[in-house]
Each structure stands twice: as C-alpha cells, then as structure tokens.
Amino acid sequence: MGGWGLSDMPSQQGRRVVITGANSGLGEQMAIALGAAGAQVTLACRNVAKAQRVADWIGPHARVAELDLADLASVRAFADGFDGADVLINNAGVMAIPQARTADGFEMQIGTNFLGHFALTGLVLDRIDDRIVTLSSLMHKRARLDVDDLNWQQRKYSRWVAYSDSKLADLVFALDLADRLAKAGSAKASLAAHPGYAATELQGHTETPFEWVMKLGNLTPIAQSAADGALPALFAATSPHAANGEYYGPRSFGEMRGAPAPASYRRAADDPDLRRRLWDKAEELTGVQVTVG
C-alpha cells in the first residue's frame, strides 16, 4: 500500500458514489476527489445550499440530495427516492456538542453519527452494489458505550464521551455488517476508516475551552489537511486492495497523519455480544430492520 495518494486512485468513470455530509470538511474533499476521478457523486446533506456550492465547483459529475441524519423521516424520504449507487460513504457527523436531541428524541451525537447512518444503510443496502464505508475516529478508543443508555437518559451527559460512543458504535456497525455480508455470501463489502487528526470545521462547535486547543492544534505539524484526512476513506471506497471488514487510518504519528494503512481499534469492536446487542438496539430505536443478503 505504501504511500497511497490520489494519483493511485483508480478511474471512477461510470461509478456512482453517495457521500453524507459532503458540504464541507472531509466529505467535501472526498466529493471533489471522486468527481475529478470520474465518479457521479451525490452530496447527501442537510444544508443543501452549502452543498450546492460544492457541487457547482465540482461540475456535472455532482448533484445534491437533501438528507438530515438527525431526522428519520428525512432518512426515509431520501431512501424512498434513492436509485442506487456503487458506494455509500457514511461520513456526516457532529462532535462534542452541547446536549441536544434529534427530531426522534435521540441524543444528537449517537442519533446523527450512528443511528442515522444505521437507518440509512439498512434502507438502501439492497441498492448498493459494491461498498459501504463508515467513518469512525481515534476517539472511539475513549468510549464508554452503554447499549442500554445510548441516548443518555440515565447517565450524566458528557459531550466527549457521547462523541466517542458514537464513533465506537459506527466502527462496531461497520465490522459487524462486514461479517454478516460475508456469511451471507454477498459480494458487497463494509469497511471503516478514520481521518487521524485532520483540520476541519467539525472541531469548531464544541463550545468548550478545548475547542481553542484543537484550533491551535490544527496549526501544528501534527494536524493534516482535510484533503489528506479524507485519504483513508477514499482508499477504502476505491482501492482494489481494500478488503471487507478492514479499518483504515493514517499510518504515522500514532495514526494522526500520513498515508492510509490498516488502523488499530479497541477489542470491544470484535465482541460478538456487543455487536448483537448494538445491532438489535439500533433496529429497535430506528424501526429499520436491516436485511443482509
């Protein structure tokens, strides 16, 4: 895999890719790169006006579709109008925000980052031909995931733990989906990726003093650009060497920057009991029964 970069991306001519949250940051960079490689890219976003500016810059290879992952009605509406794609990239997310609720009453971070993507994937899985790539984070290693209290109704809310929980849930889902696809004999693949420490707008909404620490960190040599942070997900989405059930991230400085490589993750993500309980709880909360086959 070496120093894989955009010049190593195979032609995406004729392929269709859906990217959630592609109006800024990592998703925007993924959309730009995939459009330049010839893919027809759908920017599935809540802020359609902002997404349209990105699509206009990419050109005729890009289009915008409205999708608010914090509202299951919006997820279902998007799925109802979905006409298929080769790749779905579950990228959109919020990070370490003050306590809030989605339209369906879920804690905002678990609701947007995980449950929204779980529902979306389940509703369109039969129309994805090749791969599902789900974004996790280095912060998944700090999670204290409580399947019985995903929505923070019993615990005292901690914005950073809630974020970490959502990213561990994303990783567990991606790996579990990969196993279920393999057992079903499906040719589809589920992969996960993380961007390392990438300078994006995501870090500007925590409303805490630590936000300024992160903004200063964005100016250090450790932080990489959003374009570089997008590379692990782009590798997972396009490389013929990216395998079902693998997790990719930057290879250097404790996985904070560098070219894509296999990433490390908490053993909890392989726990079959956690996987089963999380999947069942997500189906219960979202009302989406995920059929793998």
Side-chain angles (χ1 to χ4, degrees):
M1 184 157 43
W4 192 92
L6 293 183
S7 62
D8 301 300
M9 184 189 298
S11 170
Q12 299 299 296
Q13 195 70 39
R15 286 171 66 80
R16 297 176 295 169
V17 183
V18 175
I19 309 170
T20 68
N23 57 290
S24 64
L26 300 172
E28 176 184 3
Q29 295 303 316
M30 293 176 205
I32 291 170
L34 288 162
Q40 293 292 324
V41 184
T42 297
L43 288 71
C45 304
R46 178 180 59 82
N47 189 331
V48 293
K50 193 172 182 181
Q52 190 61 56
R53 289 194 289 271
V54 177
D56 289 344
W57 192 89
I58 295 171
H61 288 298
R63 72 180 186 93
V64 173
E66 185 173 4
L67 172 63
D68 183 355
L69 290 159
D71 185 346
L72 290 178
S74 176
V75 175
R76 290 183 180 278
F78 175 88
D80 287 344
F82 183 65
D83 60 358
D86 296 284
V87 181
L88 168 65
I89 303 179
N90 290 324
N91 162 76
V94 292
M95 183 175 76
I97 59 173
Q99 188 167 21
R101 297 280 164 185
T102 70
D104 303 281
F106 306 142
E107 186 277 315
M108 185 63 74
Q109 296 187 84
I110 200 78
T112 302
N113 300 355
F114 170 57
L115 292 172
H117 281 129
F118 179 93
L120 172 65
T121 303
L123 291 167
V124 304
L125 185 58
D126 62 331
R127 286 160 284 169
I128 299 296
D129 294 333
D130 187 15
R131 309 181 192 190
I132 303 95
V133 179
T134 301
L135 272 289
S136 184
S137 166
L138 283 170
M139 290 293 291
H140 88 271
K141 297 179 180 180
R142 296 185 59 187
R144 298 200 294 268
L145 187 62
D146 184 343
V147 175
D148 294 321
D149 190 28
L150 287 182
N151 290 308
W152 293 81
Q153 294 169 318
Q154 301 167 29
R155 295 172 289 170
K156 181 179 179 181
Y157 181 70
S158 166
R159 67 186 72 197
W160 282 106
V161 175
Y163 175 71
S164 300
D165 284 358
S166 72
K167 291 287 113 178
L168 176 57
D170 282 332
L171 180 57
V172 170
F173 171 55
L175 300 183
D176 194 14
L177 178 59
D179 281 354
R180 291 174 186 242
L181 288 168
K183 289 175 182 176
S186 174
K188 300 175 187 180
S190 171
L191 308 95
H194 77 83
Y197 189 167
T200 70
E201 294 180 13
L202 189 64
Q203 297 152 343
H205 303 283
T206 69
E207 299 182 16
T208 67
F210 191 59
E211 182 175 315
W212 295 101
V213 176
M214 291 187 293
K215 287 181 177 180
L216 288 173
N218 288 347
L219 303 176
T220 70
I222 294 176
Q224 58 183 0
S225 67
D228 286 340
L231 290 178
L234 288 170
F235 176 86
T238 67
S239 174
H241 303 295
N244 182 48
E246 291 297 319
Y247 178 42
Y248 299 102
R251 68 180 181 182
S252 303
F253 293 97
E255 298 185 15
M256 287 192 286
R257 61 178 294 122
S264 63
Y265 61 86
R266 283 179 57 180
R267 287 186 181 180
D270 287 329
D271 182 341
D273 183 62
L274 175 61
R275 288 186 177 188
R276 176 188 57 78
R277 292 175 60 234
L278 183 64
W279 188 287
D280 289 349
K281 179 60 72 173
E283 287 191 333
E284 173 192 330
L285 291 172
T286 63
V288 175
Q289 304 296 309
V290 182
T291 301
V292 177

